[in-house]
Amino acid sequence: MSHALERVRPSLPTITAWGRHLAALLPSGGRLLACGNGGSAAEAQHLTGELVGRYVRDRMPLSAIALHADTSAGTAIGNDYGPDELFARQVRAHGRRGDVLVLLSTSGSSPNVVAAAKAAHEVGMWAWALTGPAPNPLAAVCDDAVTVDAPRTSTVQEIHLFLVHALCEALDERLDAIGAPR
């Protein structure tokens, strides 16, 4: 894992930039949507939980939705439109121009996550990805991506959790710096 962490270190300025972007967007009514499958779904929900709740310090709640968490919508969409539309349909419903979609995928090739990134562009959202090794289809269709060069899914997921926490830290630091309401 230490090798993968060293290889992702050059991407930390990207994560910091994402945090700054979110600090400008979320307090003014913007929204973050997040999605992934399996362990990546858990990471997406971890991110949204940190934003709606708090990361370290108390602050205002921020609008963030984990798209897999609405099981009734998910099962209906999967049944009526197929599994590849699971997240894309929700992006079209909840996403607004200027909002951000964070997509997590250890392979970077999950069809439903790639379709969600494309749907984000349709509605004018930013699409940012955390993936496993590059190149991959998800990183290719997103506005920005941080790829983790590691051979094991578990290592990619561990680095993704580190990056989720780094994103939350960057966001909170920027909110503090601009004096955002708590």
Side-chain angles (χ1 to χ4, degrees):
M1 183 165 116
S2 62
H3 296 307
L5 196 53
E6 276 305 312
R7 287 190 295 267
V8 82
R9 186 179 303 279
S11 298
L12 291 178
T14 298
I15 297 297
T16 299
W18 291 2
R20 289 174 173 265
H21 183 106
L22 292 174
L25 172 71
L26 298 178
S28 62
R31 181 178 296 156
L32 178 137
L33 305 179
C35 67
N37 295 300
S40 295
E43 302 278 0
Q45 193 165 354
H46 188 107
L47 171 60
T48 60
E50 301 286 21
L51 299 182
V52 174
R54 67 179 176 130
Y55 175 59
V56 174
R57 298 172 295 284
D58 282 331
R59 59 150 161 70
M60 67 188 307
L62 303 169
S63 181
I65 301 169
L67 297 178
H68 71 279
D70 185 347
T71 55
S72 295
T75 57
I77 293 165
N79 185 62
D80 295 345
Y81 299 97
D84 289 357
E85 279 295 301
L86 174 65
F87 301 129
R89 190 155 179 89
Q90 292 180 79
V91 167
R92 291 184 197 101
H94 300 299
R96 304 291 180 263
R97 180 167 299 287
D99 286 348
V100 172
L101 175 63
V102 175
L103 308 110
L104 295 99
S105 174
T106 57
S107 69
S109 60
S110 301
N112 59 2
V113 179
V114 172
K118 292 176 181 177
H121 289 130
E122 290 171 15
V123 299
M125 295 178 67
W126 294 95
W128 300 338
L130 298 176
T131 74
N136 63 68
L138 181 59
V141 298
C142 285
D143 297 300
D144 211 350
V146 174
T147 60
V148 176
D149 185 15
R152 294 177 55 184
T153 297
S154 60
T155 303
V156 173
Q157 289 172 339
E158 289 165 351
I159 301 298
H160 282 178
L161 179 58
F162 166 77
L163 294 169
V164 162
H165 284 164
L167 176 58
C168 292
E169 185 68 29
L171 168 61
D172 281 359
E173 284 179 1
R174 184 62 182 161
L175 289 174
D176 286 348
I178 63 174
R182 290 191 179 260

